[in-house]
């Protein structure tokens, strides 16, 4: 059975950095409304909007203090309605970010919860006594050894009640206790309220962290780390399938034929788990964001120890996910988002071959089996940013890590700064480059974070009408998914798994086949014989007609030029 999202393409807007309509330096909803025709021209089907709810902005909106209102920084509920309608009029859908593993510490639920030990909402969060034998609030007295994703312990001490609360992210993001049925009901009610207002689904933030081992045991203590790793006790925990199925029953099942989207962000999810989460028969979610391919260039799982990515590892990983979800389930496909470096800087070449490699990456990703995601600016080939000093960064993850590394760990400032550069999240959060104007067409004011100086050459204004631009290439790739059923539904077969430079695969249905070839290097690469194909055009095993490529001039048959993409098609059109 084909599901509607199989030939859809999703575009992620990180509103703070997308378009600023009122000159306060921060992007907003009216800014997004002003770009609807741009998104329509690109051809995307769904817009995923990162959080715009009321928030103290400790983690740029991933800390929500009111789930049913818009932060004045971004606009009003009326603006959101106008955005939803503008999308619907153009045949696009709106997917909201759902952040319910945690709230802000300023959410009324938490304010009540922390007010006293016997408050009815006390149990809505994870409150624990100090470790037995320790004086509450003293070093080592935390209930367990877990570290938070944003440095420091995952526990914060609340002096007035003498207990600790759990926060897997910042201190201002206390974790909700999903064991409590009242919490779950409150979340489902809120989700239903948004669906009633016309939104078309949710991207669910760290949703596989919501079921924790209620015993909260100490995690393994890896060498050289300040805190224990509790992930075994909260990643895809004991009740996660039950909770997601319950959510489906309470929120999505009653919506009948409405075409809604549920995408579950799941750090640490395994292929086998993902096949279960996304098996339509189990009624949990449509697809998951997995993290394996964006962790291969982290040494020992530490993003601050970046290491060279081997193409063979990337292919082995993505190939495993393609195979693992071939029978049951569905993949989401992404190179980048607001937490990851820019795709062309990480997987391609953001220097001499920026345009060619950005196009090649688009072709390779979008022609896998799954639903592709484009992160704002990726369609322009935007690159990582150079941040000269710590004061140029804005992300809480970077700032906390820097403080911990230079103080508690005593590392040298210059070493820490160098280690931040490749993987920091602010790389992806510099404003979208609309034009070569001083504010990059993003703002008329002072931007909340630096604008990449390369906006004078890399920007939408020069690309939208240029048939040779990265933008136009994304349009073509998106159009190919819409027009050719083999892209949405074909089987995936990886070729040349051991080749260090060439990414090669086929997609096939009973009557058509695509052959996709990409050179992941700045050198020409001879094309080894492909099983099942001959290179001579007159033979029966011919690759077929070239339907997509990133070079204007024809190349030679047995070789791929630097960062070249070639896509051949055989079978009836
Ligand atoms: O991210 C969850 C997550 O695990 C990462 O991608 C996170 O950025 C990483 O641990 C940092 O190294 C989601 C959101 O996408 C992210 O922006 C939020 O900060 C986070 O949850 C907390 O809500």
């Amino acid at each position: 059975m084909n599901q509607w999202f199989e030939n859809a393409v999703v575009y992620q807007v990180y509103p703070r950095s997308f378009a600023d309509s009122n000159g306060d330096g921060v992007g907003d909803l009216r800014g997004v409304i002003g770009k609807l025709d741009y998104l329509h021209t690109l051809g995307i089907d769904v817009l995923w909007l990162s959080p715009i709810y009321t928030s103290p902005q400790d983690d740029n909106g991933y800390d929500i203090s009111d789930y049913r209102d818009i932060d004045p920084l971004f606009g009003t509920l009326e603006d959101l309605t106008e955005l939803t309608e503008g999308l619907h009029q153009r045949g696009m859908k709106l997917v909201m970010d759902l952040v319910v593993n945690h709230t802000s510490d300023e959410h009324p639920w938490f304010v009540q919860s922390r007010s006293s030990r016997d408050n009815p909402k006390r149990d809505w969060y994870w409150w624990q006594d100090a470790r037995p034998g320790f004086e509450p609030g003293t070093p080592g007295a935390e209930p367990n050894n877990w570290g938070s994703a944003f440095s420091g312990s995952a526990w914060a001490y609340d002096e007035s009640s003498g207990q600790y609360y759990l926060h897997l992210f910042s201190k201002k993001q206390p974790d909700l206790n999903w064991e409590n049925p009242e919490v779950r009901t409150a979340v489902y009610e809120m989700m239903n309220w948004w669906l009633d207002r016309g939104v078309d689904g949710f991207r669910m933030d760290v949703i596989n962290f919501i079921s924790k081992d209620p015993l909260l045991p100490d995690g393994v203590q890896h060498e050289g780390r300040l805190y224990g790793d509790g992930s075994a006790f909260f990643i895809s925990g004991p009740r996660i399938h039950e909770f997601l199925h319950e959510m489906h029953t309470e929120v999505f099942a009653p919506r009948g034929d409405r075409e809604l989207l549920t995408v579950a962000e799941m750090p640490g999810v395994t292929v086998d788990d993902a096949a279960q989460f996304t098996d339509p028969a189990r009624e949990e979610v449509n697809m998951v964001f997995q993290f394996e391919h964006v962790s291969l260039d982290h040494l020992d799982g530490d993003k601050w120890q970046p290491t060279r990515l081997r193409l063979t590892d990337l292919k082995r990983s993505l190939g495993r996910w393609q195979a693992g979800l071939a029978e049951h389930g569905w993949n989401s496909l992404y190179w980048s988002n607001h937490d990851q470096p820019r795709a062309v800087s990480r997987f391609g070449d953001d220097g001499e071959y920026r345009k060619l490699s950005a196009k090649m990456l688009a072709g390779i990703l979008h022609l896998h089996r799954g639903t592709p995601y484009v992160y704002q600016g990726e369609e322009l080939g935007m690159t990582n940013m150079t941040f000269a000093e710590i004061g140029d960064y804005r992300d809480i993850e970077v700032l906390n890590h820097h403080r911990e590394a230079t103080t508690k760990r005593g590392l040298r400032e210059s070493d820490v700064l160098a280690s931040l550069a490749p993987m920091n999240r602010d790389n992806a959060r510099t404003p979208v480059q609309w034009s070569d104007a001083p504010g990059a067409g993003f703002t008329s004011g002072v931007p909340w974070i630096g604008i990449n100086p390369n906006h004078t050459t890399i920007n939408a204004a020069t690309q939208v009408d240029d048939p040779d631009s990265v933008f136009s290439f994304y349009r073509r790739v998106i159009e190919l998914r819409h027009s050719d059923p083999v892209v949405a539904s074909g089987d995936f077969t990886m070729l040349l798994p051991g080749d260090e430079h060439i990414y090669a695969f086929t997609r096939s249905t009973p009557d058509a086949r695509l052959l996709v070839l990409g050179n992941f290097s700045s050198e020409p690469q001879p094309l080894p014989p492909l099983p099942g194909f001959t290179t001579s055009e007159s033979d029966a095993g011919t690759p077929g007609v070239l339907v997509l490529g990133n070079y204007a001039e024809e190349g030679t048959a047995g070789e791929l030029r630097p960062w070249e993409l070639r896509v051949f098609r055989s079978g009836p059109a």
Side-chain angles (χ1 to χ4, degrees):
M1 188 191 66
N2 279 2
Q3 308 185 81
W4 70 268
F5 49 79
E6 295 185 5
N7 68 357
V9 176
V10 185
Y11 185 94
Q12 182 191 355
V13 166
Y14 193 68
R16 170 177 277 277
S17 307
F18 189 68
D20 171 22
S21 73
N22 62 359
D24 66 356
V26 180
D28 47 47
L29 290 175
R30 301 221 65 81
V32 186
I33 292 169
K35 299 296 181 188
L36 286 176
D37 288 330
Y38 170 88
L39 297 174
H40 189 52
T41 303
L42 182 58
I44 55 111
D45 305 278
V46 180
L47 187 155
W48 150 29
L49 190 61
S50 277
I52 38 66
Y53 316 90
T54 315
S55 162
Q57 303 291 325
D58 188 52
D59 185 21
N60 292 355
Y62 283 89
D63 49 314
I64 298 169
S65 54
D66 185 350
Y67 287 107
R68 301 189 194 205
D69 207 351
I70 309 295
D71 197 289
L73 202 53
F74 298 123
T76 62
L77 277 171
E78 289 68 42
D79 294 332
L80 192 82
T81 304
E82 193 177 324
L83 174 61
T84 314
E85 287 169 0
L87 285 163
H88 289 170
Q89 278 155 14
R90 292 168 180 80
M92 296 181 275
K93 296 179 188 293
L94 178 67
V95 160
M96 301 278 279
D97 223 299
L98 179 79
V99 189
V100 289
N101 172 68
H102 43 268
T103 66
S104 164
D105 65 338
E106 297 180 35
H107 194 291
W109 296 343
F110 188 75
V111 173
Q112 290 171 48
S113 182
R114 86 182 313 167
S115 66
S116 77
R117 287 197 191 204
D118 51 15
N119 183 278
K121 289 212 163 45
R122 185 66 169 183
D123 185 49
W124 281 41
Y125 294 84
W126 293 90
W127 289 99
Q128 295 282 306
D129 291 330
R131 193 183 278 278
F134 283 77
E135 182 61 27
T138 61
E142 294 84 11
N144 70 26
N145 69 356
W146 300 0
S148 112
F150 295 155
S151 302
S153 166
W155 295 93
Y157 183 55
D158 176 56
E159 224 159 282
S160 64
S161 66
Q163 283 190 312
Y164 291 80
Y165 65 86
L166 176 68
H167 61 91
L168 294 179
F169 294 89
S170 99
K171 276 209 280 293
K172 289 184 66 63
Q173 294 168 299
D175 282 54
L176 279 166
N177 176 12
W178 277 67
E179 298 295 314
N180 184 327
E182 289 172 10
V183 168
R184 306 204 297 275
T185 303
V187 169
Y188 305 150
E189 273 175 12
M190 176 270 285
M191 294 172 76
N192 275 311
W193 185 82
W194 281 107
L195 291 184
D196 290 343
R197 294 183 68 91
V199 315
D200 304 292
F202 299 96
R203 171 271 186 189
M204 305 173 181
D205 193 68
V206 288
I207 202 73
N208 64 329
F209 290 9
I210 59 176
S211 165
K212 284 129 176 122
D213 180 335
L215 296 176
L216 307 168
D218 277 333
V220 276
Q221 179 79 50
H222 296 294
E223 220 192 290
R225 300 288 173 93
L226 294 174
Y227 295 90
D229 171 8
S231 59
F233 306 107
F234 60 78
I235 287 187
S236 307
R239 300 182 69 187
I240 183 65
H241 291 285
E242 175 198 335
F243 291 162
L244 289 178
H245 181 68
E246 181 182 78
M247 179 189 284
H248 176 90
T249 310
E250 297 297 322
V251 180
F252 300 103
R255 302 285 162 169
D257 290 341
R258 257 179 87 181
E259 291 185 338
L260 303 175
L261 186 69
T262 53
V263 51
E265 190 210 27
M266 295 191 159
V269 70
T270 64
V271 183
D272 290 343
D273 273 344
Q276 293 199 12
F277 286 125
T278 65
D279 178 352
R282 294 178 57 96
E283 302 183 316
E284 295 179 15
V285 293
N286 297 143
M287 59 188 95
V288 307
F289 284 125
Q290 56 95 4
F291 282 68
E292 198 177 280
H293 68 297
V294 290
S295 309
L296 299 170
D297 51 5
H298 299 171
L299 193 68
D300 299 329
D302 179 0
K303 71 188 282 182
W304 309 122
Q305 293 192 65
T307 171
R308 191 177 81 87
L309 173 70
R310 296 183 74 111
L311 185 67
T312 43
D313 290 341
L314 182 65
K315 291 190 290 188
R316 190 179 314 115
S317 170
L318 289 176
R320 234 161 49 80
W321 281 82
Q322 290 285 305
L325 272 60
E327 295 293 319
H328 302 287
W330 189 249
N331 269 295
S332 54
L333 310 169
Y334 71 94
W335 290 135
S336 55
N337 59 41
H338 65 293
D339 296 330
Q340 302 290 333
R342 288 281 173 186
V344 72
S345 300
R346 184 184 203 173
F347 299 104
D349 171 349
D350 63 9
E352 183 184 354
Y353 294 108
R354 185 187 62 85
K355 265 176 76 173
L356 280 167
S357 63
K359 293 175 184 178
M360 190 275 292
L361 288 168
I364 293 289
L365 186 79
H366 284 236
L367 297 176
H368 277 69
R369 183 180 160 89
T371 298
Y373 287 71
V374 181
Y375 175 65
Q376 66 183 34
E378 184 186 321
E379 77 282 13
L380 304 172
M382 277 179 61
T383 66
N384 279 354
M385 174 78 162
T386 304
F387 298 97
E389 48 190 75
I390 192 65
D392 294 338
Y393 285 99
R394 297 289 176 268
D395 181 18
I396 182 171
E397 181 188 41
V398 170
L399 299 175
N400 285 359
H401 171 75
H402 176 267
R403 194 181 329 108
E404 187 171 276
T406 52
T407 57
K408 277 199 191 161
R409 302 171 62 105
L411 302 180
R412 279 224 315 260
E413 171 75 14
S414 55
D415 291 344
V416 175
L417 274 182
S419 74
L420 295 178
M423 296 298 162
N424 78 76
R425 308 194 296 181
D426 280 339
N427 278 314
R429 299 175 178 187
T430 64
V432 172
Q433 298 166 199
W434 297 104
S435 76
D436 62 3
F442 163 74
T443 186
S444 57
V446 182
W448 70 277
I449 190 172
I451 292 175
N452 199 313
N454 67 19
H455 72 278
T456 51
T457 50
I458 305 173
N459 61 65
T462 56
Q463 293 197 31
V464 172
D465 295 321
D466 170 7
D468 184 45
S469 65
V470 176
F471 179 87
S472 295
F473 197 83
Y474 266 84
R475 275 183 81 174
R476 277 210 288 287
V477 175
I478 294 169
E479 172 54 26
L480 196 59
R481 173 168 293 262
H482 291 153
S483 59
D484 190 348
V486 72
V487 177
S489 53
D491 290 341
F492 178 96
T493 307
M494 187 71 85
L495 308 174
L496 309 178
D499 195 295
E500 284 295 351
H501 304 293
I502 296 178
Y503 204 123
F505 59 89
T506 58
R507 301 290 312 284
S508 29
T509 56
D511 30 61
R513 185 188 57 205
L514 289 181
L515 170 64
V516 183
L517 303 170
N519 178 359
F520 272 68
S521 83
S522 302
E523 314 296 327
Q525 298 293 340
L527 191 60
L530 297 167
F533 290 92
T534 56
T535 39
S536 151
E537 296 294 328
S538 58
D539 280 311
T542 171
V545 188
L546 187 72
V547 287
L548 189 69
N550 58 352
Y551 274 80
E553 321 76 37
E554 208 177 309
T556 38
E559 182 185 272
L560 291 177
R561 289 163 284 186
W563 301 100
E564 181 166 14
L565 172 79
R566 281 187 207 169
V567 182
F568 297 94
R569 188 181 194 283
S570 58

